[in-house]
Amino acid sequence: MLAPQRFLQRHKEAWVHLLANKQQLFTVWDLHHTLRHLARLASGDEGHAGSGKTPDGGAAGESEGMYSLFEDIPADRDCAAARIPARHCECAPVRDT
């Protein structure tokens, strides 16, 4: 992933999390939170998007358990925690049919 040098200088912690999260389980909902987080960072708001909060910092609800890739995603996150249905989970061993 490439990022402008100015972003790297201004948001070092976000960049560190993004690099660390490339090996973590994430969903399109996490990507959505990441894009919202990026928009807030661009506007000067340094708030957090994930950790069970809505992207605007509100109470947990529909976004509970979703994360911005600019924040720490738990290493032990599984499909259930990421709200991935079992039939779509790639974490389970593959069975021959």
Side-chain angles (χ1 to χ4, degrees):
M1 172 168 273
L2 298 173
Q5 193 64 31
R6 190 171 68 170
F7 178 85
L8 300 176
Q9 292 168 348
R10 278 187 156 165
H11 308 290
K12 290 178 185 170
E13 185 177 339
W15 183 248
V16 168
H17 286 296
L18 182 65
L19 293 176
N21 287 332
K22 34 182 214 187
Q23 298 300 315
Q24 303 302 3
L25 176 66
F26 68 93
T27 68
V28 295
W29 293 111
D30 298 318
L31 185 56
H32 172 78
H33 281 267
T34 303
L35 294 173
R36 302 237 358 222
H37 192 172
L38 182 60
R40 281 199 336 279
L41 289 174
S43 71
D45 181 356
E46 299 291 327
H48 298 284
S51 307
K53 298 268 185 206
T54 60
D56 61 2
E62 169 181 321
S63 66
E64 186 174 333
M66 302 301 149
Y67 295 87
S68 165
L69 296 176
F70 294 131
E71 297 180 320
D72 185 42
I73 296 177
D76 62 348
R77 187 180 196 203
D78 60 11
C79 289
R83 295 184 176 185
I84 299 172
R87 68 182 177 275
H88 297 297
C89 183
E90 295 291 325
C91 301
V94 177
R95 289 185 254 159
D96 290 332
T97 55

Tab-separated table of all heavy atoms in Angstrom, residues 7-49:
chain	number	residue	atom	x	y	z
A	7	PHE	N	0.794	12.037	4.889
A	7	PHE	CA	-0.053	11.177	5.718
A	7	PHE	C	0.810	10.385	6.694
A	7	PHE	O	0.491	10.275	7.874
A	7	PHE	CB	-0.872	10.217	4.848
A	7	PHE	CG	-1.733	9.276	5.646
A	7	PHE	CD1	-2.994	9.674	6.062
A	7	PHE	CD2	-1.281	8.017	6.007
A	7	PHE	CE1	-3.789	8.824	6.823
A	7	PHE	CE2	-2.064	7.160	6.758
A	7	PHE	CZ	-3.323	7.564	7.166
A	8	LEU	N	1.898	9.827	6.205
A	8	LEU	CA	2.792	9.033	7.062
A	8	LEU	C	3.347	9.866	8.211
A	8	LEU	O	3.464	9.387	9.335
A	8	LEU	CB	3.940	8.452	6.238
A	8	LEU	CG	3.545	7.523	5.098
A	8	LEU	CD1	4.778	7.105	4.310
A	8	LEU	CD2	2.809	6.318	5.614
A	9	GLN	N	3.688	11.088	7.938
A	9	GLN	CA	4.240	11.965	8.972
A	9	GLN	C	3.177	12.381	9.978
A	9	GLN	O	3.450	12.443	11.174
A	9	GLN	CB	4.874	13.205	8.331
A	9	GLN	CG	6.105	12.880	7.535
A	9	GLN	CD	6.562	14.050	6.673
A	9	GLN	OE1	5.860	15.040	6.498
A	9	GLN	NE2	7.761	13.913	6.111
A	10	ARG	N	1.987	12.662	9.522
A	10	ARG	CA	0.916	13.138	10.405
A	10	ARG	C	0.249	12.032	11.207
A	10	ARG	O	-0.246	12.265	12.292
A	10	ARG	CB	-0.172	13.815	9.587
A	10	ARG	CG	0.094	15.202	9.231
A	10	ARG	CD	-1.152	15.737	8.585
A	10	ARG	NE	-1.196	17.159	8.725
A	10	ARG	CZ	-1.986	17.922	8.039
A	10	ARG	NH1	-2.827	17.394	7.176
A	10	ARG	NH2	-1.964	19.218	8.209
A	11	HIS	N	0.165	10.848	10.636
A	11	HIS	CA	-0.613	9.767	11.242
A	11	HIS	C	0.223	8.498	11.382
A	11	HIS	O	-0.151	7.430	10.906
A	11	HIS	CB	-1.863	9.494	10.403
A	11	HIS	CG	-2.676	10.713	10.128
A	11	HIS	ND1	-3.393	11.362	11.121
A	11	HIS	CD2	-2.853	11.423	8.998
A	11	HIS	CE1	-3.990	12.414	10.594
A	11	HIS	NE2	-3.684	12.476	9.313
A	12	LYS	N	1.348	8.626	12.064
A	12	LYS	CA	2.273	7.495	12.204
A	12	LYS	C	1.610	6.288	12.852
A	12	LYS	O	1.786	5.157	12.401
A	12	LYS	CB	3.502	7.906	13.010
A	12	LYS	CG	4.394	8.848	12.270
A	12	LYS	CD	5.571	9.270	13.111
A	12	LYS	CE	6.366	10.315	12.342
A	12	LYS	NZ	7.381	10.942	13.140
A	13	GLU	N	0.819	6.511	13.894
A	13	GLU	CA	0.181	5.402	14.600
A	13	GLU	C	-0.810	4.677	13.685
A	13	GLU	O	-0.862	3.441	13.661
A	13	GLU	CB	-0.538	5.897	15.853
A	13	GLU	CG	-1.113	4.785	16.682
A	13	GLU	CD	-1.757	5.291	17.961
A	13	GLU	OE1	-1.449	6.411	18.422
A	13	GLU	OE2	-2.592	4.550	18.503
A	14	ALA	N	-1.575	5.428	12.914
A	14	ALA	CA	-2.531	4.815	11.983
A	14	ALA	C	-1.793	3.967	10.952
A	14	ALA	O	-2.215	2.855	10.626
A	14	ALA	CB	-3.368	5.896	11.293
A	15	TRP	N	-0.670	4.474	10.463
A	15	TRP	CA	0.107	3.738	9.466
A	15	TRP	C	0.683	2.448	10.059
A	15	TRP	O	0.646	1.394	9.417
A	15	TRP	CB	1.214	4.628	8.918
A	15	TRP	CG	2.018	3.971	7.841
A	15	TRP	CD1	3.322	3.577	7.913
A	15	TRP	CD2	1.584	3.621	6.524
A	15	TRP	NE1	3.716	3.014	6.734
A	15	TRP	CE2	2.666	3.031	5.862
A	15	TRP	CE3	0.377	3.758	5.855
A	15	TRP	CZ2	2.574	2.560	4.546
A	15	TRP	CZ3	0.291	3.288	4.550
A	15	TRP	CH2	1.384	2.701	3.914
A	16	VAL	N	1.160	2.513	11.295
A	16	VAL	CA	1.688	1.322	11.969
A	16	VAL	C	0.595	0.262	12.108
A	16	VAL	O	0.819	-0.923	11.831
A	16	VAL	CB	2.280	1.696	13.351
A	16	VAL	CG1	2.565	0.460	14.189
A	16	VAL	CG2	3.545	2.521	13.169
A	17	HIS	N	-0.606	0.674	12.500
A	17	HIS	CA	-1.726	-0.269	12.629
A	17	HIS	C	-2.096	-0.864	11.268
A	17	HIS	O	-2.352	-2.065	11.163
A	17	HIS	CB	-2.947	0.394	13.249
A	17	HIS	CG	-2.817	0.638	14.714
A	17	HIS	ND1	-2.693	-0.380	15.624
A	17	HIS	CD2	-2.780	1.782	15.420
A	17	HIS	CE1	-2.587	0.123	16.840
A	17	HIS	NE2	-2.638	1.441	16.736
A	18	LEU	N	-2.125	-0.044	10.244
A	18	LEU	CA	-2.465	-0.531	8.917
A	18	LEU	C	-1.488	-1.622	8.475
A	18	LEU	O	-1.890	-2.675	7.984
A	18	LEU	CB	-2.480	0.614	7.909
A	18	LEU	CG	-2.863	0.242	6.489
A	18	LEU	CD1	-4.308	-0.237	6.420
A	18	LEU	CD2	-2.658	1.425	5.565
A	19	LEU	N	-0.209	-1.386	8.681
A	19	LEU	CA	0.794	-2.387	8.310
A	19	LEU	C	0.649	-3.660	9.136
A	19	LEU	O	0.754	-4.765	8.610
A	19	LEU	CB	2.204	-1.805	8.457
A	19	LEU	CG	2.549	-0.677	7.484
A	19	LEU	CD1	3.933	-0.121	7.805
A	19	LEU	CD2	2.457	-1.138	6.044
A	20	ALA	N	0.379	-3.521	10.422
A	20	ALA	CA	0.208	-4.688	11.294
A	20	ALA	C	-1.047	-5.468	10.933
A	20	ALA	O	-1.070	-6.702	11.034
A	20	ALA	CB	0.163	-4.246	12.754
A	21	ASN	N	-2.081	-4.785	10.499
A	21	ASN	CA	-3.365	-5.431	10.224
A	21	ASN	C	-3.413	-6.172	8.891
A	21	ASN	O	-4.394	-6.849	8.604
A	21	ASN	CB	-4.499	-4.402	10.285
A	21	ASN	CG	-4.802	-3.993	11.698
A	21	ASN	OD1	-4.593	-4.757	12.630
A	21	ASN	ND2	-5.281	-2.773	11.866
A	22	LYS	N	-2.356	-6.100	8.091
A	22	LYS	CA	-2.419	-6.816	6.813
A	22	LYS	C	-2.508	-8.318	6.991
A	22	LYS	O	-2.948	-9.015	6.092
A	22	LYS	CB	-1.297	-6.461	5.853
A	22	LYS	CG	-0.025	-6.152	6.314
A	22	LYS	CD	0.911	-5.785	5.170
A	22	LYS	CE	2.268	-6.288	5.580
A	22	LYS	NZ	3.317	-5.923	4.723
A	23	GLN	N	-2.165	-8.832	8.159
A	23	GLN	CA	-2.260	-10.264	8.428
A	23	GLN	C	-3.488	-10.622	9.270
A	23	GLN	O	-3.650	-11.777	9.642
A	23	GLN	CB	-0.994	-10.749	9.139
A	23	GLN	CG	0.268	-10.583	8.329
A	23	GLN	CD	0.224	-11.346	7.010
A	23	GLN	OE1	-0.191	-12.499	6.969
A	23	GLN	NE2	0.623	-10.696	5.934
A	24	GLN	N	-4.345	-9.644	9.561
A	24	GLN	CA	-5.513	-9.885	10.414
A	24	GLN	C	-6.759	-10.149	9.567
A	24	GLN	O	-6.841	-9.750	8.404
A	24	GLN	CB	-5.768	-8.691	11.338
A	24	GLN	CG	-4.624	-8.319	12.224
A	24	GLN	CD	-4.164	-9.444	13.139
A	24	GLN	OE1	-4.638	-10.561	13.121
A	24	GLN	NE2	-3.170	-9.142	13.945
A	25	LEU	N	-7.716	-10.785	10.187
A	25	LEU	CA	-9.006	-11.034	9.557
A	25	LEU	C	-9.793	-9.728	9.528
A	25	LEU	O	-9.983	-9.091	10.559
A	25	LEU	CB	-9.773	-12.094	10.358
A	25	LEU	CG	-11.187	-12.417	9.910
A	25	LEU	CD1	-11.172	-13.069	8.528
A	25	LEU	CD2	-11.853	-13.337	10.924
A	26	PHE	N	-10.216	-9.307	8.337
A	26	PHE	CA	-11.057	-8.116	8.250
A	26	PHE	C	-12.111	-8.329	7.179
A	26	PHE	O	-12.006	-9.214	6.335
A	26	PHE	CB	-10.239	-6.838	8.016
A	26	PHE	CG	-9.568	-6.728	6.679
A	26	PHE	CD1	-10.196	-6.094	5.626
A	26	PHE	CD2	-8.308	-7.254	6.468
A	26	PHE	CE1	-9.584	-5.978	4.396
A	26	PHE	CE2	-7.682	-7.151	5.246
A	26	PHE	CZ	-8.324	-6.510	4.198
A	27	THR	N	-13.151	-7.517	7.239
A	27	THR	CA	-14.292	-7.656	6.339
A	27	THR	C	-14.501	-6.360	5.560
A	27	THR	O	-13.847	-5.346	5.818
A	27	THR	CB	-15.575	-7.947	7.141
A	27	THR	OG1	-15.908	-6.777	7.900
A	27	THR	CG2	-15.406	-9.143	8.071
A	28	VAL	N	-15.460	-6.394	4.653
A	28	VAL	CA	-15.798	-5.171	3.923
A	28	VAL	C	-16.348	-4.112	4.876
A	28	VAL	O	-16.201	-2.911	4.633
A	28	VAL	CB	-16.787	-5.428	2.765
A	28	VAL	CG1	-16.152	-6.294	1.704
A	28	VAL	CG2	-18.073	-6.037	3.255
A	29	TRP	N	-16.972	-4.539	5.979
A	29	TRP	CA	-17.466	-3.575	6.965
A	29	TRP	C	-16.298	-2.862	7.635
A	29	TRP	O	-16.370	-1.665	7.922
A	29	TRP	CB	-18.361	-4.250	7.998
A	29	TRP	CG	-19.629	-4.743	7.376
A	29	TRP	CD1	-19.998	-6.037	7.177
A	29	TRP	CD2	-20.683	-3.945	6.844
A	29	TRP	NE1	-21.211	-6.096	6.555
A	29	TRP	CE2	-21.660	-4.825	6.336
A	29	TRP	CE3	-20.895	-2.573	6.737
A	29	TRP	CZ2	-22.826	-4.371	5.743
A	29	TRP	CZ3	-22.064	-2.134	6.149
A	29	TRP	CH2	-23.010	-3.016	5.660
A	30	ASP	N	-15.214	-3.579	7.876
A	30	ASP	CA	-14.017	-2.942	8.429
A	30	ASP	C	-13.444	-1.950	7.422
A	30	ASP	O	-13.004	-0.858	7.796
A	30	ASP	CB	-12.958	-3.990	8.792
A	30	ASP	CG	-13.433	-4.960	9.853
A	30	ASP	OD1	-14.073	-4.522	10.824
A	30	ASP	OD2	-13.161	-6.167	9.709
A	31	LEU	N	-13.468	-2.317	6.155
A	31	LEU	CA	-13.002	-1.404	5.116
A	31	LEU	C	-13.866	-0.145	5.095
A	31	LEU	O	-13.357	0.972	4.957
A	31	LEU	CB	-13.011	-2.106	3.766
A	31	LEU	CG	-12.440	-1.328	2.597
A	31	LEU	CD1	-11.010	-0.877	2.856
A	31	LEU	CD2	-12.512	-2.160	1.333
A	32	HIS	N	-15.170	-0.316	5.269
A	32	HIS	CA	-16.087	0.830	5.346
A	32	HIS	C	-15.694	1.744	6.518
A	32	HIS	O	-15.616	2.962	6.364
A	32	HIS	CB	-17.523	0.326	5.514
A	32	HIS	CG	-18.519	1.396	5.779
A	32	HIS	ND1	-19.006	2.217	4.795
A	32	HIS	CD2	-19.131	1.775	6.923
A	32	HIS	CE1	-19.867	3.072	5.320
A	32	HIS	NE2	-19.968	2.814	6.610
A	33	HIS	N	-15.436	1.143	7.676
A	33	HIS	CA	-15.017	1.928	8.845
A	33	HIS	C	-13.685	2.624	8.568
A	33	HIS	O	-13.468	3.758	8.995
A	33	HIS	CB	-14.888	1.034	10.082
A	33	HIS	CG	-16.214	0.718	10.704
A	33	HIS	ND1	-16.754	1.464	11.710
A	33	HIS	CD2	-17.102	-0.253	10.438
A	33	HIS	CE1	-17.929	0.956	12.051
A	33	HIS	NE2	-18.159	-0.082	11.291
A	34	THR	N	-12.810	1.958	7.846
A	34	THR	CA	-11.510	2.541	7.517
A	34	THR	C	-11.677	3.772	6.638
A	34	THR	O	-11.029	4.801	6.873
A	34	THR	CB	-10.621	1.498	6.809
A	34	THR	OG1	-10.487	0.354	7.650
A	34	THR	CG2	-9.251	2.064	6.500
A	35	LEU	N	-12.539	3.673	5.643
A	35	LEU	CA	-12.765	4.820	4.759
A	35	LEU	C	-13.383	5.991	5.515
A	35	LEU	O	-13.006	7.156	5.299
A	35	LEU	CB	-13.637	4.413	3.572
A	35	LEU	CG	-12.978	3.416	2.609
A	35	LEU	CD1	-13.980	2.950	1.558
A	35	LEU	CD2	-11.733	4.009	1.974
A	36	ARG	N	-14.306	5.695	6.421
A	36	ARG	CA	-14.893	6.767	7.246
A	36	ARG	C	-13.835	7.373	8.161
A	36	ARG	O	-13.804	8.585	8.366
A	36	ARG	CB	-16.070	6.234	8.057
A	36	ARG	CG	-17.136	5.642	7.174
A	36	ARG	CD	-18.521	6.149	7.235
A	36	ARG	NE	-18.909	7.160	8.134
A	36	ARG	CZ	-20.037	7.147	8.819
A	36	ARG	NH1	-20.850	6.119	8.715
A	36	ARG	NH2	-20.370	8.145	9.588
A	37	HIS	N	-12.979	6.521	8.715
A	37	HIS	CA	-11.890	6.979	9.583
A	37	HIS	C	-10.937	7.871	8.774
A	37	HIS	O	-10.518	8.936	9.240
A	37	HIS	CB	-11.164	5.768	10.151
A	37	HIS	CG	-10.219	6.073	11.260
A	37	HIS	ND1	-9.610	5.083	11.982
A	37	HIS	CD2	-9.762	7.230	11.788
A	37	HIS	CE1	-8.819	5.622	12.895
A	37	HIS	NE2	-8.899	6.927	12.786
A	38	LEU	N	-10.609	7.458	7.557
A	38	LEU	CA	-9.723	8.240	6.701
A	38	LEU	C	-10.323	9.617	6.411
A	38	LEU	O	-9.616	10.624	6.451
A	38	LEU	CB	-9.463	7.480	5.400
A	38	LEU	CG	-8.515	8.141	4.412
A	38	LEU	CD1	-7.137	8.348	5.033
A	38	LEU	CD2	-8.406	7.296	3.157
A	39	ALA	N	-11.621	9.662	6.164
A	39	ALA	CA	-12.284	10.946	5.914
A	39	ALA	C	-12.188	11.854	7.144
A	39	ALA	O	-11.958	13.064	7.022
A	39	ALA	CB	-13.742	10.730	5.532
A	40	ARG	N	-12.358	11.264	8.337
A	40	ARG	CA	-12.245	12.062	9.558
A	40	ARG	C	-10.805	12.527	9.782
A	40	ARG	O	-10.583	13.659	10.200
A	40	ARG	CB	-12.745	11.282	10.766
A	40	ARG	CG	-14.252	11.271	10.844
A	40	ARG	CD	-14.807	10.917	12.210
A	40	ARG	NE	-13.920	10.145	13.033
A	40	ARG	CZ	-13.738	8.822	12.952
A	40	ARG	NH1	-14.380	8.133	12.056
A	40	ARG	NH2	-12.928	8.212	13.760
A	41	LEU	N	-9.834	11.672	9.496
A	41	LEU	CA	-8.437	12.081	9.634
A	41	LEU	C	-8.126	13.231	8.684
A	41	LEU	O	-7.443	14.185	9.058
A	41	LEU	CB	-7.498	10.904	9.355
A	41	LEU	CG	-7.450	9.795	10.388
A	41	LEU	CD1	-6.596	8.636	9.890
A	41	LEU	CD2	-6.925	10.300	11.723
A	42	ALA	N	-8.647	13.148	7.479
A	42	ALA	CA	-8.408	14.205	6.492
A	42	ALA	C	-9.027	15.525	6.917
A	42	ALA	O	-8.519	16.595	6.585
A	42	ALA	CB	-8.956	13.780	5.134
A	43	SER	N	-10.117	15.464	7.703
A	43	SER	CA	-10.769	16.696	8.156
A	43	SER	C	-10.168	17.222	9.461
A	43	SER	O	-10.620	18.227	9.976
A	43	SER	CB	-12.269	16.467	8.330
A	43	SER	OG	-12.509	15.636	9.450
A	44	GLY	N	-9.172	16.502	9.985
A	44	GLY	CA	-8.514	16.957	11.211
A	44	GLY	C	-9.034	16.307	12.470
A	44	GLY	O	-8.525	16.563	13.560
A	45	ASP	N	-10.050	15.453	12.370
A	45	ASP	CA	-10.590	14.751	13.528
A	45	ASP	C	-9.765	13.497	13.764
A	45	ASP	O	-9.702	12.613	12.924
A	45	ASP	CB	-12.053	14.377	13.262
A	45	ASP	CG	-12.719	13.652	14.425
A	45	ASP	OD1	-12.044	13.364	15.435
A	45	ASP	OD2	-13.922	13.379	14.313
A	46	GLU	N	-9.114	13.417	14.909
A	46	GLU	CA	-8.234	12.286	15.215
A	46	GLU	C	-8.951	11.173	15.959
A	46	GLU	O	-8.319	10.274	16.490
A	46	GLU	CB	-7.040	12.767	16.057
A	46	GLU	CG	-6.186	13.797	15.361
A	46	GLU	CD	-5.403	13.242	14.177
A	46	GLU	OE1	-5.006	12.065	14.236
A	46	GLU	OE2	-5.201	13.986	13.219
A	47	GLY	N	-10.286	11.189	16.023
A	47	GLY	CA	-11.045	10.192	16.771
A	47	GLY	C	-10.871	8.792	16.223
A	47	GLY	O	-10.322	8.582	15.159
A	48	HIS	N	-11.359	7.833	16.973
A	48	HIS	CA	-11.227	6.431	16.599
A	48	HIS	C	-12.525	5.939	15.987
A	48	HIS	O	-13.603	6.340	16.366
A	48	HIS	CB	-10.865	5.582	17.820
A	48	HIS	CG	-9.555	5.989	18.404
A	48	HIS	ND1	-8.368	5.659	17.824
A	48	HIS	CD2	-9.251	6.729	19.493
A	48	HIS	CE1	-7.366	6.166	18.543
A	48	HIS	NE2	-7.887	6.818	19.554
A	49	ALA	N	-12.403	4.996	15.055
A	49	ALA	CA	-13.576	4.510	14.336
A	49	ALA	C	-14.029	3.133	14.781
A	49	ALA	O	-15.177	2.798	14.633
A	49	ALA	CB	-13.282	4.475	12.838
